[in-house]
Amino acid sequence: MKYQVNHPFKPIYDENSKILILGTIPSVKSRENNFYYGHPQNRFWKTIAGIFGTNLPEDNKKKIELLKNNGIALTDVLQSCLIEGSSDAAIKNGIPRNLDMIMKKSKINAIFCNGSKAHELYMKHNRDKYNLQVFCLPSTSPANAKYRLHALIEQWKIIKNYTLRPEDDGLRKLP
């Protein structure tokens, strides 16, 4: 049975955010845990910690610090939808989340979608709205068994090219 889900979390960002990572909509476990990527088997937080060489954040405050310290904004493409369980494939009647405030109050230079459904929904609702590069990264969901954690970290490392300041290791934004 499909049921209406309304996004329960505020976006995470600040004026120094350089990239925006987008999921689809919080899973049942994330809503129960009242925070992004709250399913214990989701590898999002392990992936982000692995990319930046930090310890896995143990609470939501530390997760927010990890994101903000590395120029990352985080939210989802959808504000609401009909869904059965937590399966992206079950999403129907998606209403897009308004991303304008994040874009106006930060320095976003690229968007990274966590999985193909997030990318599909972003392109459907926002394709021509923001003049930014949009990347589709492999989903960190436990349903994406094709990727082990080390492979996710390797694929997701591209975000560092967009979050580092020029004085950080001399890396520059990719063309």
Side-chain angles (χ1 to χ4, degrees), residues 27-148:
S27 69
V28 171
K29 281 290 185 192
S30 294
R31 294 190 308 271
E32 286 173 5
N33 291 320
N34 202 31
F35 203 71
Y36 291 95
Y37 301 103
H39 191 292
Q41 300 304 314
N42 192 298
R43 297 159 299 170
F44 179 81
W45 296 109
K46 290 178 183 175
T47 299
I48 298 299
I51 290 167
F52 293 101
T54 65
N55 293 327
L56 186 63
E58 65 270 4
D59 59 34
N60 294 345
K61 182 180 177 192
K62 294 282 186 196
K63 290 173 182 176
I64 292 169
E65 284 177 19
L66 174 61
L67 295 175
K68 289 185 176 181
N69 288 343
N70 289 290
I72 299 171
L74 177 66
T75 194
D76 292 303
V77 176
L78 297 179
Q79 181 60 42
S80 66
C81 67
L82 289 174
I83 191 169
E84 183 175 343
S86 297
S87 172
D88 282 354
I91 291 172
K92 299 287 184 217
N93 301 333
I95 305 296
R97 193 149 208 197
N98 186 336
L99 304 174
D100 290 347
M101 190 61 67
I102 297 171
M103 298 303 179
K104 288 177 186 172
K105 294 194 173 195
S106 65
K107 300 171 185 164
I108 301 299
N109 63 57
I111 295 171
F112 294 87
C113 298
N114 187 350
S116 59
K117 188 65 171 188
H119 184 261
E120 172 191 320
L121 291 167
Y122 176 83
M123 296 307 281
K124 176 182 178 181
H125 296 294
N126 296 292
R127 176 185 306 269
D128 299 321
K129 194 165 185 180
Y130 308 107
N131 187 25
L132 297 170
Q133 287 185 288
V134 181
F135 298 86
C136 182
L137 296 172
S139 174
T140 59
S141 167
N144 184 10
K146 177 180 175 183
Y147 283 87
R148 295 190 183 271

